């Protein structure tokens, strides 16, 4: 892991100047980014006397920046045991160091032993991505990465689409003698490049569409809906940098429609704002910032705007996206958020992740894009679009080995969206007849042994979304009290034939198929009649009995009793025999249609023994009154055992 990325220096330690107070030589070197010198000075000071816990953390950070992970890990762990001033960012660096020195399994053990320290979302994210990165079931796709011609020997990063061109940030010289001290290079500026037929970037020139400034201008985003450019820039008054009372010179976000049009959108001398992204469909402006209430270092936020003018307070994207590490560079494409994070469970440095946007501004588990995109170094600032002739094309920045400068821009093209293959199921659980959503249903993905891999609860409209690292064989199961159980097994071939983005399920409510009749719980059927003196199942009767078949398919644990009754016309013996034959005929039909015999506990005919009215032998009754007594009930014998009293 390297932290040589020039732009990230602005994120990790945003202070270019510090308040006037007594600091040691180690402190001074540390805050000037001179990590090697800071280590030397802190070691001298340690001999003379004990360092403060904060200085020990500065020393650990310095070791980490210099890739001395063993010494960094030892100090972080020692400070952690004291349970004093460990910030979320330091927890992340602690785990990064353990990963480098002892490996992934040691990190997992640390997380397990200290799970109360970390949020449930972080633990779930880590478990998911560890399994994903270790999975070998699907080969990583080839994205045709190429280092663009526009790169220089300085840092080049933060690409952005601009009409048929690409804007980007760079630390290349531009005539001014002003130098950004931590990098020794020029202050960042924004450039534009032509895009050739192969997607390469060339014919670079300084972008002239923004007001001039001798200080930082970087991370542009062109909002086509507004015909405006959002970008980050140093807080300055002409030729003079502005510092807060705390000694910080932070970055702001501005909006511009030309050299004579500039509006500060987000500005606070103690807070740095970076990587604006404008979502045209909602008017939200996403960005990265290092507010004091972040989950770690730099978090992702959004604000609501009216044509780019801020109309709300910043909203943190929450612990599903933001971690104890640093999150930057939000970009939304096709309902998917792409962003970069240096959280400990990545491949190293900054990695690029994707997360699906869900209902109510929620996000799915972030998915590492894998080694086809990410490296052991810093990878960040991905942009992507769909080209009708080339497929998916885009760019991102990386300081991986083999480049031309500190950070280089890389292009890619592919037939599918980037990312390691996962299994994502999304849809709704509804009742089959009226389409009403079933809220509160528990939906699970299980392996072949029945072990739960992932479990979610449907929302009030029955919507659900599941995503796991790819598996060739899974079982999908949905349950809710008083509803049928949905269960289906999938293999790789069957998953390729279903629309996993609209995978709707149906579950039957027992209350929709059962009613109380004659003080018994019976399957709800329209009344039907056998032909006079007959016991054969007619098409009319079969349509009703098919509801019984469906009930058993939905609730295979039901135990049935078939009861047939006649009216009083005819002899008692004749009516007993006729009703028994009718019950047996119903049983035979149900079994022919797939109802197991052990579901039918009894089939019996009562003849005229259980009349519902006074139409006995010798009593004159209208036909409609006799018909009340001729009936069939399909009784659920174990209803109370299964579902309790109604």
């Amino acid at each position: 892991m390297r932290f040589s990325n020039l732009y990230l220096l602005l994120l990790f330690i945003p202070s270019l100047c510090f308040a006037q107070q007594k600091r040691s030589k180690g402190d001074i070197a540390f805050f000037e980014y001179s990590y090697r010198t800071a280590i030397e000075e802190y070691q001298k000071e340690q001999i003379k006397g004990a360092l403060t816990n904060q200085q020990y953390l500065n020393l650990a950070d310095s070791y980490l920046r210099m890739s001395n992970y063993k010494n960094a890990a030892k100090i972080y762990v020692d400070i952690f045991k004291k349970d004093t001033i460990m910030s979320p960012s330091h927890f992340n660096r602690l785990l990064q160091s353990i990963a480098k020195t002892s490996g992934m399994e040691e990190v997992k053990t640390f997380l397990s032993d200290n799970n109360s320290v970390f949020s449930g979302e972080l633990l779930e994210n880590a478990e998911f991505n560890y399994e994903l990165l270790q999975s070998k079931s699907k080969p990583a796709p080839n994205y045709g990465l190429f280092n663009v011609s526009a790169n220089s020997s300085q840092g080049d990063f933060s690409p952005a689409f601009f009409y048929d061109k690409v804007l980007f940030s760079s630390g290349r010289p531009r005539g001014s003698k002003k130098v950004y001290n931590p990098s020794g290079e020029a202050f960042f500026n924004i450039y534009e490049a032509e895009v050739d037929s192969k997607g390469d970037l060339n014919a670079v020139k300084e972008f002239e569409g923004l007001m001039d400034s001798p200080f930082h201008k970087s991370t542009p985003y062109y909002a086509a809906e507004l015909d405006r450019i959002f970008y980050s820039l140093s807080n300055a008054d002409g030729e003079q940098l502005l510092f807060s009372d705390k000694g910080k010179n932070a970055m702001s976000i501005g909006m511009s429609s030309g050299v004579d049009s500039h509006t500060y959108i987000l500005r606070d001398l103690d807070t740095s704002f970076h990587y604006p992204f404008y979502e045209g469909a909602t008017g939200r402006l996403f960005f990265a910032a290092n507010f004091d209430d972040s989950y770690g270092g730099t978090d992702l936020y959004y604000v609501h705007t009216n044509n780019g003018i801020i109309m709300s307070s910043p909203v943190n994207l929450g612990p599903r996206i933001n971690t104890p590490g640093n999150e930057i560079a939000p970009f939304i494409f096709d309902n998917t958020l792409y962003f970069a994070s240096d959280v400990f469970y990545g491949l190293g440095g900054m990695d690029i992740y994707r997360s699906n946007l869900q209902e109510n501004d929620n996000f799915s588990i972030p998915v590492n894009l894998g080694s086809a995109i990410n490296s052991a170094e810093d990878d960040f600032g991905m942009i992507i679009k769909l080209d009708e002739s080339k497929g998916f094309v885009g760019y991102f920045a990386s300081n991986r080995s083999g480049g031309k400068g500190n950070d280089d821009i890389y292009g890619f093209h592919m037939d599918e969206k980037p990312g390691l293959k996962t299994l994502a199921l999304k849809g709704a659980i509804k009742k089959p007849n009226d389409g009403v959503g079933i809220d509160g249903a528990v939906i699970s993905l299980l392996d072949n042994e029945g072990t739960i891999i992932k479990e979610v609860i449907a929302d009030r409209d029955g919507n659900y979304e599941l995503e796991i690292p790819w598996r060739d064989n899974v079982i999908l199961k949905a349950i809710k009290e008083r509803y049928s159980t949905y269960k289906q097994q999938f293999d790789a071939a069957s998953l390729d034939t279903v629309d996993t983005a609209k995978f709707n399920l149906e579950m039957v409510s027992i209350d929709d198929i059962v009613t109380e009749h004659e003080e018994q719980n019976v399957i709800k059927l329209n009344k039907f009649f056998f032909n006079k003196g007959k016991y054969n199942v007619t098409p009319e009767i079969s349509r009703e009995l098919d509801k019984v078949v469906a009930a058993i398919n939905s609730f295979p644990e039901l135990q049935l009793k078939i009861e047939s009754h006649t009216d009083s016309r005819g002899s008692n013996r004749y009516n007993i025999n006729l009703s028994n034959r009718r019950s047996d005929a119903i049983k035979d039909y149900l079994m022919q249609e797939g109802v197991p015999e052990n579901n039918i506990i009894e089939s019996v005919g009562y003849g005229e023994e259980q009349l519902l009215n006074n139409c006995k032998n010798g009593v004159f009754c209208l036909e409609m009154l006799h018909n009340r007594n001729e009936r069939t009930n399909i009784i659920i014998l174990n209803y109370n055992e299964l579902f309790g009293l109604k």
Side-chain angles (χ1 to χ4, degrees):
M1 183 192 310
R2 293 189 310 178
F3 288 86
S4 60
N5 180 336
L6 303 181
Y7 189 69
L8 294 182
L9 291 174
L10 297 178
L11 302 178
F12 294 139
I13 306 177
S15 176
L16 300 182
C17 176
F18 40 82
Q20 297 299 316
Q21 63 183 59
K22 186 175 181 180
R23 293 177 182 264
S24 71
K25 290 182 179 180
D27 294 336
I28 294 171
F30 178 76
F31 282 99
E32 289 181 347
Y33 312 100
S34 301
Y35 299 118
R36 190 182 304 278
T37 302
I39 293 171
E40 295 172 355
E41 294 299 332
Y42 280 135
Q43 287 175 337
K44 293 176 184 177
E45 293 163 15
Q46 190 174 9
I47 295 173
K48 297 178 180 179
L51 302 178
T52 66
N53 283 336
Q54 182 59 60
Q55 288 174 320
Y56 272 118
L57 285 176
N58 293 349
L59 177 58
D61 288 347
S62 299
Y63 279 127
L64 187 70
R65 302 290 191 262
M66 299 303 297
S67 300
N68 188 334
Y69 306 109
K70 182 178 179 179
N71 284 350
K74 182 180 184 304
I75 296 174
Y76 286 136
V77 171
D78 287 344
I79 296 295
F80 172 77
K81 290 178 180 178
K82 295 178 183 179
D83 192 24
T84 52
I85 60 170
M86 289 286 286
S87 68
S89 294
H90 285 112
F91 277 124
N92 187 61
R93 295 171 203 165
L94 182 158
L95 293 170
Q96 287 174 330
S97 302
I98 293 176
K100 286 292 185 179
T101 56
S102 304
M104 182 187 303
E105 293 305 317
E106 190 66 26
V107 176
K108 291 181 180 179
T109 300
F110 187 94
L111 290 172
S112 177
D113 293 342
N114 301 279
N115 56 21
S116 62
V117 176
F118 306 100
S119 70
E121 291 88 349
L122 182 71
L123 295 173
E124 189 176 16
N125 288 0
E127 181 181 7
F128 184 102
N129 280 279
Y130 278 145
E131 180 180 353
L132 182 69
L133 292 172
Q134 289 178 304
S135 174
K136 303 297 183 183
S137 60
K138 289 289 179 180
N142 181 5
Y143 295 139
L145 296 185
F146 60 94
N147 189 296
V148 304
S149 300
N151 288 316
S152 68
S153 59
Q154 287 76 34
D156 302 290
F157 59 96
S158 184
F161 297 119
F162 179 65
Y163 296 102
D164 57 351
K165 301 179 181 180
V166 167
L167 303 179
F168 66 95
S169 307
S170 179
R172 63 189 68 192
R174 51 182 170 128
S176 172
K177 294 183 179 180
K178 289 183 178 294
V179 172
Y180 177 49
N181 289 331
S183 68
E185 297 182 1
F187 280 86
F188 297 127
N189 196 20
I190 296 174
Y191 294 80
E192 66 176 79
E194 303 284 346
V195 182
D196 67 18
S197 59
K198 296 181 179 179
D200 196 10
L201 306 183
N202 41 53
V204 177
K205 66 177 183 178
E206 187 173 341
F207 182 61
E208 299 177 350
L210 302 174
M211 72 172 188
D212 190 34
S213 170
F215 303 112
H216 288 306
K217 290 188 292 185
S218 60
T219 65
Y221 178 78
Y222 173 64
E225 299 85 354
L226 304 177
D227 193 25
R228 297 286 191 276
I229 290 178
F230 295 91
Y231 66 108
S232 57
L233 69 161
S234 298
N235 282 305
D237 183 8
E239 298 286 318
Q240 184 69 39
L241 284 172
L242 299 179
F243 294 89
S244 73
D245 293 339
K246 298 179 181 178
K248 292 183 179 181
N249 172 251
M251 299 287 288
S252 61
I253 288 179
M255 180 178 69
S256 176
S257 60
V259 293
D260 297 324
S261 170
H262 172 81
T263 303
Y264 281 105
I265 300 298
L266 293 165
R267 193 182 194 190
D268 180 347
L269 294 182
D270 282 319
T271 303
S272 281
F273 301 93
H274 314 269
Y275 278 102
F277 170 84
Y278 181 76
E279 186 182 34
T282 64
R284 293 187 295 182
L285 180 68
F286 291 77
F287 58 92
N290 60 343
F291 287 115
D292 291 338
D293 64 350
S294 72
Y295 286 91
T298 298
D299 278 7
L300 298 184
Y301 297 81
Y302 70 80
V303 288
H304 293 283
T305 75
N306 182 4
N307 291 325
I309 304 302
I310 305 301
M311 301 297 290
S312 75
S313 299
V315 178
N316 191 294
L317 266 57
R320 180 59 74 197
I321 298 298
N322 292 315
T323 72
N326 295 277
E327 282 70 47
I328 61 171
F331 185 87
I332 296 175
F333 171 73
D334 194 22
N335 209 44
T336 299
L337 170 69
Y338 295 89
F339 67 98
S341 174
D342 68 350
V343 67
F344 61 87
Y345 49 72
L347 294 176
M350 280 272 168
D351 278 5
I352 301 172
Y353 293 80
R354 65 165 175 81
S355 174
N356 299 327
L357 277 69
Q358 300 176 320
E359 300 290 333
N360 301 319
D361 290 337
N362 292 321
F363 296 89
S364 67
I365 290 178
V367 174
N368 192 296
L369 297 193
S371 58
I373 291 288
N374 292 317
S375 68
E377 310 300 337
D378 294 318
D379 308 282
F380 60 103
M382 172 176 280
I383 60 174
I384 183 174
K385 66 180 180 180
L386 180 60
D387 185 285
E388 292 182 358
S389 60
K390 299 184 181 68
F392 295 101
V393 298
Y395 304 89
F396 67 95
S398 177
N399 65 355
R400 64 188 63 192
S401 61
K404 300 175 183 177
N406 291 292
D407 292 311
D408 277 5
I409 295 173
Y410 290 80
F412 61 86
H413 50 81
M414 64 200 77
D415 294 329
E416 58 186 43
K417 290 197 295 186
L420 294 174
K421 189 172 180 63
T422 63
L423 172 56
L425 291 171
K426 180 179 180 180
I429 303 180
K430 298 180 180 292
K431 292 184 179 182
N433 296 326
D434 53 19
V436 173
I438 302 172
D439 70 310
V442 179
I443 307 97
S444 308
L445 281 172
L446 304 90
D447 61 21
N448 287 339
E449 286 72 43
T451 302
I452 295 175
I453 305 169
K454 182 71 179 290
E455 191 170 83
V456 298
I457 298 176
D459 67 17
R460 63 182 182 180
D461 297 317
N463 298 311
Y464 77 95
E465 186 167 352
L466 281 163
E467 187 170 16
I468 62 171
W470 177 265
R471 291 177 180 238
D472 288 331
N473 293 279
V474 293
I475 298 169
L476 178 64
K477 185 177 181 181
I479 59 173
K480 184 180 179 180
E481 188 176 357
R482 302 188 69 81
Y483 279 82
S484 60
T485 297
Y486 178 94
K487 190 174 184 180
Q488 186 173 355
Q489 187 162 3
F490 297 94
D491 57 20
S494 60
L495 286 169
D496 285 339
T497 63
V498 300
D499 185 358
T500 56
K502 295 181 180 179
F503 198 80
N504 296 327
L505 316 178
E506 290 185 345
M507 294 171 64
V508 178
S509 169
I510 191 67
D511 298 319
D512 289 339
I513 65 173
V514 174
T515 188
E516 191 172 301
H517 183 62
E518 299 178 37
E519 299 182 350
Q520 299 182 97
N521 293 298
V522 302
I523 294 180
K524 193 182 299 183
L525 304 174
N526 294 322
K527 189 165 184 178
F528 57 83
F529 296 97
F530 287 88
N531 291 329
K532 292 298 180 182
K534 304 296 183 180
Y535 53 85
N536 56 299
V537 175
T538 65
E540 177 193 2
I541 296 174
S542 68
R543 282 193 294 271
E544 295 305 309
L545 296 182
D546 287 344
K547 298 176 183 177
V548 181
V549 178
I552 293 297
N553 289 336
S554 298
F555 299 94
E557 66 275 25
L558 296 182
Q559 296 178 352
L560 307 180
K561 176 183 179 181
I562 304 169
E563 290 185 356
S564 288
H565 303 266
T566 67
D567 59 32
S568 61
R569 291 173 292 188
S571 69
N572 288 349
R573 181 177 293 277
Y574 175 83
N575 286 333
I576 286 287
N577 289 336
L578 179 61
S579 60
N580 272 314
R581 288 175 177 174
R582 288 175 173 176
S583 288
D584 289 341
I586 291 173
K587 178 180 178 180
D588 290 342
Y589 178 85
L590 295 177
M591 291 174 59
Q592 289 172 9
E593 295 302 311
V595 175
E597 186 174 8
N598 57 12
N599 283 97
I600 304 174
I601 305 303
E602 185 179 4
S603 64
V604 62
Y606 290 102
E608 58 184 277
E609 293 179 357
Q610 297 182 7
L611 299 177
L612 298 177
N613 53 34
N614 198 36
C615 294
K616 302 176 182 179
N617 291 330
V619 177
F620 174 79
C621 287
L622 297 174
E623 185 70 19
M624 59 176 290
L625 295 177
H626 279 301
N627 286 343
R628 283 194 61 199
N629 294 317
E630 185 173 337
R631 64 203 187 276
T632 297
N633 294 327
I634 311 296
I635 301 167
I636 302 175
L637 297 175
N638 59 341
Y639 180 87
N640 288 337
E641 176 186 339
L642 295 174
F643 305 107
L645 294 174
K646 218 176 171 184

